[in-house]
Amino acid sequence: MQFSSVVASPKLLLQLCISTLHCIMASIISTVCYWTAGACKGTTSPVPPVDSNLDQRKVQNAMTPTSVNYHFTRKCNYKCGFCFHTAKTSFVLPLEEAKRGLKLLKESGMEKINFSGGEPFLHEKGEFLGKLVQFCKLDLQLPSVSIVSNGSMIKENWFQKYGDYLDILAISCDSFDEATNQLIGRTQGRKSHVDNLHKIRNWCQQYKVAFKINSVINTFNMDEDMTEPITQLNPVRWKVFQCLLIDGENAGEEALREAERFVISDQLFQEFLDRHSSISCIVPESNEKMRNSYLILDEYV
């Protein structure tokens, strides 16, 4: 089976770290490793062993990481009940080490990078994020550099400083009803999440950054008709996710969230999609698709 990118649940991510990502970050501690050049469209690429203790068979089954999601921080100012990357640690990789890891991923076939969290604009008030975005566009010359944010920490001066290096900004918005956002946890104090969404859309237009919206469909918003506000905001893409459970993150004894009450069935998710079938920019992501779509790096890379 071929993928243009790879999904990693926490358990699978650990396996990937042991095999492929361990190879990448090993170079940071002066261990040299090379990934055999392979096609960038998801074909498997054999990887020479760099440690006698590595499972060579797992390494050889590694996928070329064309599309990467880098969750470099777990800290967030929102408390969304279904969050699958919760604040279990405040660790953030030092900037230069993060850059070295990204450079090795580029050499291994990475074409797209998306920065997320937690809330990526929270750390150093967006400066750390801005420097990574600038590095990926100027130094690595990646075709696609994007961010997913809740939007609450974004200021116009960030666009003025780093907007030229960003291709896509996706803002998470699960409802256009403020009471529903309160129930979900996508809010901070009395600030209007929806008003802020419109403000960021305008900045994206002004600074020529493609504007996207991400929505997680769950028990609290599954009956909402978002056709009118989405049409008004006119994003280049509206990604609609089915609420996903990940053991240890938003489900299970060690989880900081209990997302079970947010989960909806495949049928209910499909009903939401059918209700919004007139929106041409909608891109649905079911649980099954999310499990087979991305290479996800956590804060330790």
Side-chain angles (χ1 to χ4, degrees):
M1 184 177 293
Q2 295 184 351
F3 302 112
S4 60
S5 45
V6 183
V7 68
S9 65
K11 182 177 180 180
L12 180 56
L13 179 59
L14 179 60
Q15 296 172 342
L16 285 168
C17 287
I18 294 172
S19 56
T20 61
L21 297 182
H22 178 79
C23 299
I24 292 172
M25 295 313 296
S27 67
I28 295 175
I29 56 173
S30 302
T31 302
V32 179
C33 64
Y34 295 91
W35 283 30
T36 301
C40 292
K41 298 304 179 183
T43 55
T44 55
S45 301
V47 182
V50 298
D51 188 319
S52 59
N53 294 324
L54 288 177
D55 184 335
Q56 184 176 357
R57 182 175 59 185
K58 290 182 180 179
V59 172
Q60 289 177 338
N61 288 333
M63 295 287 187
T64 301
T66 59
S67 182
V68 175
N69 276 291
Y70 181 15
H71 296 251
F72 66 83
T73 179
R74 286 179 172 267
K75 295 183 69 176
C76 187
N77 57 327
Y78 279 15
K79 296 181 179 179
C80 302
F82 47 70
C83 180
F84 66 84
H85 198 250
T86 52
K88 289 188 168 184
T89 172
S90 61
F91 177 82
V92 176
L93 198 69
L95 181 64
E96 293 306 313
E97 292 187 25
K99 286 181 177 180
R100 283 196 288 271
L102 291 168
K103 183 175 183 291
L104 286 163
L105 281 167
K106 166 66 186 304
E107 293 170 355
S108 301
M110 179 175 66
E111 299 172 355
K112 300 179 181 180
I113 181 71
N114 178 67
F115 296 102
S116 187
E119 171 47 46
F121 282 89
L122 195 59
H123 185 62
E124 297 181 0
K125 298 181 179 180
E127 281 297 306
F128 182 90
L129 173 63
K131 290 173 183 176
L132 288 180
V133 167
Q134 183 178 29
F135 174 75
C136 286
K137 183 55 68 175
L138 280 186
D139 295 72
L140 301 185
Q141 297 186 342
L142 292 181
S144 178
V145 180
S146 62
I147 297 170
V148 173
S149 167
N150 64 34
S152 64
M153 304 294 294
I154 302 176
K155 307 296 182 183
E156 185 176 7
N157 60 6
W158 191 94
F159 281 95
Q160 294 169 345
K161 189 172 182 179
Y162 297 111
D164 287 343
Y165 314 114
L166 182 64
D167 297 299
I168 305 168
L169 176 60
I171 302 299
S172 299
C173 182
D174 308 311
S175 175
F176 292 92
D177 179 80
E178 295 293 2
T180 302
N181 284 326
Q182 290 278 349
L183 287 171
I184 291 172
R186 199 175 288 286
T187 185
Q188 184 181 29
R190 296 184 177 181
K191 294 180 181 179
S192 171
H193 186 76
V194 177
D195 288 349
N196 200 49
L197 185 69
H198 283 267
K199 181 173 62 177
I200 294 171
R201 188 279 310 267
N202 293 338
W203 285 338
C204 285
Q205 290 179 339
Q206 181 179 348
Y207 294 97
K208 297 178 173 58
V209 175
F211 174 70
K212 286 175 50 179
I213 296 175
N214 288 356
S215 300
V216 177
I217 310 308
N218 59 83
T219 53
F220 294 100
N221 65 1
M222 63 182 183
D223 294 322
E224 186 173 341
D225 189 344
M226 305 184 190
T227 303
E228 184 176 345
I230 291 293
T231 302
Q232 182 183 1
L233 285 161
N234 192 30
V236 296
R237 188 176 302 163
W238 179 32
K239 271 203 169 183
V240 176
F241 300 90
Q242 184 179 3
C243 183
L244 178 67
L245 293 180
I246 296 181
D247 189 56
E249 293 286 354
N250 61 8
E253 293 183 359
E254 298 181 1
L256 298 183
R257 297 284 190 275
E258 295 180 358
E260 289 87 350
R261 64 193 180 101
F262 291 88
V263 174
I264 61 173
S265 66
D266 293 345
Q267 179 181 347
L268 290 173
F269 182 64
Q270 186 58 52
E271 288 176 4
F272 181 91
L273 297 179
D274 293 341
R275 190 181 315 124
H276 297 88
S277 59
S278 63
I279 300 178
S280 60
C281 65
I282 191 170
V283 179
E285 296 227 356
S286 64
N287 288 347
E288 185 63 26
K289 186 173 182 180
M290 281 189 283
R291 291 189 184 100
N292 296 282
S293 296
Y294 307 103
L295 171 62
I296 300 178
L297 305 182
D298 71 4
E299 65 276 15
Y300 295 102
V301 185

